[in-house]
Amino acid sequence: MNWLWAIIVGLVLGLIAKAIIPGKQKIPLWLTVVFGILGGILGNWAATGLGVNHTRGIDWIRHVLQVAGAVVIVAIGDQVWASIRGRGRSQTR
């Protein structure tokens, strides 16, 4: 069941990140989920480092850090994906 939640949260974080980043990202949905999961992990790591991973009530700071991590990972991942896909197309022509 934990994997299912990780996929759902990764999807939500990835889609939020794609909505925040200006322009159109060309990564597929499955990669959006993977990058969202990685962004959530990065945000949790940052929250733990700052000592705000467990607070009373809703962990707003941790959630903001997770979204920020997803934005960073999606932005970088989109650039890498575009360079890989672009390079592959130019070699086949």
Side-chain angles (χ1 to χ4, degrees):
M1 197 66 170
N2 288 336
W3 282 105
L4 178 62
W5 277 113
I7 292 170
I8 292 170
V9 169
L11 174 64
V12 170
L13 286 173
L15 291 175
I16 290 172
K18 284 178 81 169
I20 291 173
I21 299 170
K24 179 164 175 51
Q25 294 76 41
K26 298 185 177 26
I27 57 174
L29 184 62
W30 67 268
L31 204 51
T32 302
V33 172
V34 171
F35 290 160
I37 291 170
L38 292 174
I41 292 170
L42 179 64
N44 282 338
W45 176 78
T48 301
L50 294 172
V52 294
N53 58 330
H54 294 293
T55 58
R56 299 182 87 188
I58 299 174
D59 295 333
W60 291 109
I61 297 172
R62 180 172 56 101
H63 297 315
V64 168
L65 290 170
Q66 288 174 331
V67 170
V71 167
V72 169
I73 298 291
V74 168
I76 293 170
D78 181 57
Q79 295 298 317
V80 171
W81 178 260
S83 69
I84 290 172
R85 297 297 291 182
R87 191 175 343 134
R89 285 191 194 127
S90 65
Q91 290 177 351
T92 59
R93 291 183 185 191

